[in-house]
Amino acid sequence: MITPRLKCIIENTNGKRIADIGTDHAYIPIYLIENKLSDYVIASDIRKGPAKIAVSNISEHNLSDKIEVRIGGGLSVLKENEADTIIIAGMGGQLISEIIDADIQLAKKCRLILQPMNAQYELRKYLIKNGFTITNEDIAVEGFKVYNILNAENGHQSKFETDIEYHLPKYLINHKYYNQLYEKKHREFSKVIHGLENSKHTDTKKLQLYKNWLKELENYESK
Ligand SMILES: C[S@@+](CC[C@H](N)C(=O)[O-])C[C@H]1O[C@@H](n2cnc3c(N)ncnc32)[C@H](O)[C@@H]1O
């Protein structure tokens, strides 16, 4: 089933040979091939259970000759030049950074489509610090859920001018879902601040950091 989040990932994907790392159900590879958006997809998962489901879904769609399922962690399933585009979606931002970092030279030869479920701030920091440039970003919305989709590739990107931009990059300001993302960040910061203020052993450093972020966010250029 192609949800708005998956659709947005697909719309950002443009490649002949794609690797979908952590494919689970293989919905993305199936859609890419059925809609002739790609010639061949390597669909991988670290766990046997999801890989088995992927194999079964792919064979139901008669696409076993176009989608190859591999079992293994991160980019270790890929040989150099096998894929021009790598999708890593539906995982935490920290795990996505670790997957890239473990095979960074291979990752730098591909276009990366990344959809972190959390820690977007840390992922943007990781990418810019480690020689990637974020070439585009998109936002998907499903009910109250707001997702970021990052396109990255080898290249130099200047650091963002302010720390808050790692949470909410300025280039997203004209996106149709910018306000939803802004509200999400506002809710997130306010919730952490509320929790810390009501905790018996307040982490004062963390509290100050979140208060600063909230202030920066509220002073942020609005649409
Ligand atoms: C929540 S699912 C996301 C599925 C799909 N990518 C999506 O966006 O809907 C995450 C999948 O990633 C797999 N996974 C977790 N860590 C992984 C790793 N290091 N390498 C490959 N797959 C991994 C899990 O087994 C799981 O099937």
Side-chain angles (χ1 to χ4, degrees), residues 124-162:
R124 292 190 188 95
K125 284 221 151 163
Y126 169 80
L127 290 168
I128 293 174
K129 191 172 167 214
N130 289 280
F132 291 93
T133 170
I134 302 167
T135 53
N136 191 34
E137 274 207 44
D138 214 336
I139 307 168
V141 171
E142 286 179 17
F144 289 110
K145 292 191 179 146
V146 184
Y147 302 100
N148 295 83
I149 293 96
L150 281 69
N151 295 217
E153 61 187 38
N154 183 33
H156 172 75
Q157 176 168 352
S158 308
K159 287 182 186 164
F160 289 139
E161 278 169 25
T162 54

Side-chain angles (χ1 to χ4, degrees), residues 4 23 30 32 43 47 68 79 92 142 179 182-183 193 197 208 220 222:
T23 195
I30 291 169
L32 285 169
R47 292 187 297 136
E68 183 187 340
K79 293 191 202 95
E142 286 179 17
N179 287 344
Y182 180 97
E183 292 303 327
I193 291 168
E197 282 178 338
Q208 197 50 52
Y220 212 60
S222 61

Side-chain angles (χ1 to χ4, degrees), residues 59-78:
S59 88
E60 261 178 42
H61 287 255
N62 288 318
L63 295 174
S64 306
D65 56 332
K66 301 261 187 196
I67 306 172
E68 183 187 340
V69 177
R70 296 184 185 173
I71 298 175
L75 309 182
S76 68
V77 294
L78 297 175

Side-chain angles (χ1 to χ4, degrees), residues 5-6 9 20-25 28 44-47 50 72-74 88-91 95 99 115:
R5 175 182 70 87
L6 294 175
I9 294 164
D20 182 30
I21 306 297
T23 195
D24 200 354
H25 31 62
I28 294 176
S44 79
D45 208 286
I46 198 166
R47 292 187 297 136
I88 314 177
M91 296 181 209
L95 177 56
I99 288 175
Q115 187 269 302

Side-chain angles (χ1 to χ4, degrees), residues 89-125:
M91 296 181 209
Q94 179 66 34
L95 177 56
I96 293 177
S97 318
E98 285 166 15
I99 288 175
I100 296 169
D101 208 48
D103 287 285
I104 192 160
Q105 293 316 325
L106 190 148
K108 284 198 170 179
K109 292 190 173 144
C110 299
R111 245 182 106 230
L112 307 178
I113 315 297
L114 312 171
Q115 187 269 302
M117 299 302 276
N118 56 30
Q120 293 83 2
Y121 170 93
E122 289 81 0
L123 180 57
R124 292 190 188 95
K125 284 221 151 163

Side-chain angles (χ1 to χ4, degrees), residues 171-187:
Y171 49 66
L172 285 173
I173 206 150
N174 290 319
H175 196 285
K176 64 177 172 178
Y177 293 135
Y178 174 82
N179 287 344
Q180 282 88 334
L181 186 59
Y182 180 97
E183 292 303 327
K184 176 187 167 177
K185 291 315 289 184
H186 199 283
R187 276 197 306 276

